[in-house]
Structure formats: C-alpha cells, structure tokens
Amino acid sequence: MTAVARSRAGRRRIRTLTGLVCGALAAGGLAAAGTSTLEPEAAHASSHREAPLISGQPEYDNTDVYAFVSPDRPDTTTLVANWVPFEEPAGGPTFYPFPEDGRYDIHIDNDGDGQGDLLYRWTFDTRTRNGNTYRYNTGPVTSLDDPDLNVTQTYDIDLLKLKEQRVVSTTKVADNLPIAPSNVGKASMPNYAKLRDQAVRKLPGGNTAFAGQADDPFFLDLRVFNQLYGGDLSEVGRDTLAGYNVNSIALQVPSATLRQSADQPVVGVWSTTDRRNADGKWTQVSRLGSPLVNELVVPIKDKDKFNASSPWNDADFAKYVNKPELPKLIEDQYKIKAPAEDRKDLVSVFLTGVKGLNQPPNGRAAEELRLDTSTKPTAAPKRLGVLDGDNGGYPNGRRLSDDVVDISLQVVQGELVGQKNDLGDAVDVNDRPFGKAFPYLALPTSGSRGQVAEKGSGSQSGPGERNMLNGGAAPVADGNGTDDTVLLASIAAGGAGVLLMGLGFAWWRTRGPGRTVRGRAAGTGGV
C-alpha cells in the first residue's frame, strides 16, 4: 500500500505589521518565481540511529553487519559492516571521512561461547595535500593517487587472536591501503566505478579488502516507528534509505580461517566501534550483530547499555527477547495474535542459533549474527531466506539482498511456531543493484544526483540558459531575445510588496501607543 498524504488548509487574517511584511515579501517572491515553489525534502528518522548517545555520533554509529558465504568464491566468507547513517551524497565540503580517533572492529566467535576468538580491527589515517583550499578535490579525480584528490585516507587491518577475552597475538593483515573517497559528483569524479575498483585490494592469505563509500544496502520502510506504518498500513512501500550512502568496510576471508574446524563451521559475527576519549583511552560506543535488535527489541532505557556491552553478558537483555514488546503492539494495532511467551523461537533466532541450521554445539545465549560457513550459496537467492526454503539467507548469516524487515516481522509474529502471516513493509529490493563480485555493495549515489538546470540554446549567460551566473533562473525571452517579461514581472512584484509594506506601516501608525481604536488619543480632540 502507498502512503496517504492528508493536509488541511486553514485561513488566517493578517493582523499585525509582521504579518503584512511577510505577506508582502511572499507575494513578491511568488510573483517573481511564477508558479514554481520550493519544497524541502522530508526528514526521516533512522533505525540506524538506534540509541540516544550514538545518534549524535554518526561517524561511530554502526548501521548494519552482513556475513555470508561468497557466491562466486564459496570457500570464502564475506564480512561487511557499515557506518554513518543517512549520508547525503552532496554533503560537502568535508563529506564523510572515516574517523582517525575510531577503531572499527568485526568480532568472530567460532566456538559459540559468546566470547570473541578473532577480531579484525580497522584504523584510519587522513592526509590533506593543500590546507589552503576548502575543496575536497581540486579538479577531476581519475585515480586514487590523483593529485587532484586533495583529501585522501588510508587504513590498516590487524587480526587479533583472543583467549578468554585477552589478546594473545596480533597480525598485520593490511597496511596503508587506500580508501575510496566520497562520490562528490560527475564533474569531480567522472568515473567513480574505476575508483571503487582501485580500492579493492587482494591480500596475502587469500584475503580481499575494501573500504570506502557505498550505497546503503539496507532497504526498508522505516515508518514502522510511526504507529507501526501509520496505524493502518497506509505508510508502507517507500525505501526510506534510497539515495543515501554509508561508509563501508568489507573483507573476504577463507572460511577455514574463521571457523573452528570443518566439523564445527558455525561462527558468530558482530561489530563494535571504539572511540578514543580526551584521556587517550578507548571506549566502546556502538555494537551490532543481528539487524533490528537494538532498534525494536531493546527498550530505550537499556539501548546505550547494549551498545557498550559484549555478547558474553547478554543474559542482561534476554528478558526482552523472551517477552518482546513488538508482537503485542502488532496484535493491538492489527489484531494479529501475538504468540505465547516465553519466546523460545526468538531466542533461537537472536541468541543461540536455530537448531539444525546455525546453532553451534554447547553454545551460550548471545546476540550474534550466526553463520554456518559450510552452507553452499545458491544461484537464485530468495529475499525471505530460510522462511522461503533458502538456507543460505537470514537468519543464517545475512546477505545484502535478504529482506530482513519482512523476515523479522513474520518471525516476531509467530511464523516459526505455526502462526503463518505475510507481514511486510512492501519494500522488497534495494534501490540500486548489488554487484556480482566482491565487495558486492552497490556504488554510492553521486553528489550530482537530482534535477539540474535545463540548458537552452543561448550562451553561458545568455537567454534560455540556467546556470550559476543567473541564479539558476529560467529566463523567458521575447522575440527580440530580451527578458522583459520576467523583468516586468519582478518589478510589478516588488511594487506590490512595497505597497503592502506601506499600507502596513500606515496601519501601524494609526494604532500606535496611546491611541484608541479610532486613532484618537484618549482625553483629547485627536491629532
């Protein structure tokens, strides 16, 4: 269903000088502009901004984690994690650098005990060639080492092996690799796909790495937060994240490196962000495993606590999985019966893994994205994953194309306990196509997106041409090639504005301090 927009028009009389002045200015502006109006783009809330503290720190806000068997290299696993929700493509001049005071970590639990056994850590370095310009780039950028790319970034990857949550060894996986820049626009980066390709690097040990900007791969209608899609499902079907980008890191690793053994191929995956404080100490500020857990399962009072915690301590949050709020709200709003509590089905999806699918032996309940790395990828993945008989999809890991909102809504409302339903947000695919090879992410939306001024047949600043020199206006030329029509309209509009302002001033004079309604001073014969 599509969203239904409703508006109510009201009429108000202008009663003050301020109202008259505003009316005059508005009348002049509208007359000069003809029938054109300026409509600001609607602002959206983001499930990415899931907790109070992290919502103000987008550079450190982990939006999504993906882990899947690589479709074109089935002996490897691809790990993807994204940060910085709602990147407006044209958001210059600084755009969206990775933070130098941040550590982006992807954790691997390969024995199911809720503790990380492997930790891949990304750290970043920034270089500015010319600090005497405001520009991100000083000309068209054709390669990652182009001197016209004024601000460049590199990254390192370290692999930390852990035992009982203590580091026992550290190995440098990647050193000083280039990061694909923000996609400024067509004039600045005429072939962004080439820059993306140059940022994909093959590493020793069968690893492949990428870091840079990408289209946000999470497709969904976020208006679940507006009384569950408008209260009557009138607000579904719009991909709220369409057109926005994220900062992505991706790593393709031989599955044998991640898993405990061929006999125990299930791994748990989650990501965290550490930020360095003023004392130089590192503090965990974001955490993410399975999608939508912190957003729709953990209540407001514990969201920041969840972001600072580790899966080992997830018994603190188990009650919210056993007795979730969302299915009760759906029952109240749409009369679809909520399953009986305690919710063992949700515990298996979010905390332990599903038996016979992705549950490690003797595992501890911990919120991780669990993946059986021995699962063979399919040539035709289904968006509903396991619910539709495709065991290579969510909740067995998470692929870019998995429709996790529809899956989660149906599972929350009892799909796994025999209460069949077809709940969903009517957004089934991403707005941009995913790639068929690593890093699989869609290219980021360009800063050149959107409507541009129409070109006419005149010279750069002549009639019929919209450009910066005439403010993007659309001149209306007469038979002699002049713009008298627009000029006269502007003069008339200005005159109308001045007249209205004069009337307003005169009205104010008659109602000045110490005057009655009739304009006479009290107790006098008037003026």
Side-chain angles (χ1 to χ4, degrees), residues 102-255:
R103 300 191 304 202
Y104 289 8
D105 295 345
I106 295 182
H107 305 253
I108 308 296
D109 171 11
N110 59 24
D111 57 11
D113 65 355
Q115 301 184 72
D117 299 293
L118 304 174
L119 186 155
Y120 288 94
R121 170 164 290 163
W122 281 254
T123 52
F124 311 97
D125 185 61
T126 305
R127 176 190 172 194
T128 301
R129 288 189 167 95
N130 179 5
N132 293 319
T133 178
Y134 69 85
R135 292 186 291 175
Y136 185 77
N137 58 290
T138 55
V141 177
T142 59
S143 66
L144 293 184
D145 58 0
D146 193 319
D148 282 325
L149 184 56
N150 188 40
V151 180
T152 61
Q153 287 199 296
T154 58
Y155 67 99
D156 295 350
I157 306 176
D158 294 297
L159 172 60
L160 286 63
K161 292 189 176 181
L162 310 171
K163 183 68 175 179
E164 300 297 329
Q165 304 184 74
R166 295 183 180 275
V167 178
V168 296
S169 69
T170 302
T171 303
K172 182 70 69 176
V173 176
D175 183 33
N176 205 37
L177 296 186
I179 294 174
S182 296
N183 191 358
V184 174
K186 295 176 183 177
S188 293
M189 297 171 181
N191 187 352
Y192 189 85
K194 178 181 177 182
L195 302 180
R196 153 71 72 83
D197 291 343
Q198 291 177 355
V200 175
R201 297 300 176 99
K202 293 188 179 299
L203 306 173
N207 301 314
T208 308
F210 166 80
Q213 194 178 51
D215 170 74
D216 193 329
F218 197 7
F219 52 94
L220 79 166
D221 195 323
L222 278 172
R223 291 174 295 180
V224 64
F225 299 110
N226 181 29
Q227 292 297 337
L228 295 178
Y229 299 112
D232 57 0
L233 291 179
S234 63
E235 294 188 356
V236 294
R238 176 189 297 169
D239 184 354
T240 318
L241 300 179
Y244 292 101
N245 299 324
V246 289
N247 280 7
S248 291
I249 60 174
L251 184 65
Q252 194 171 73
V253 183
S255 297

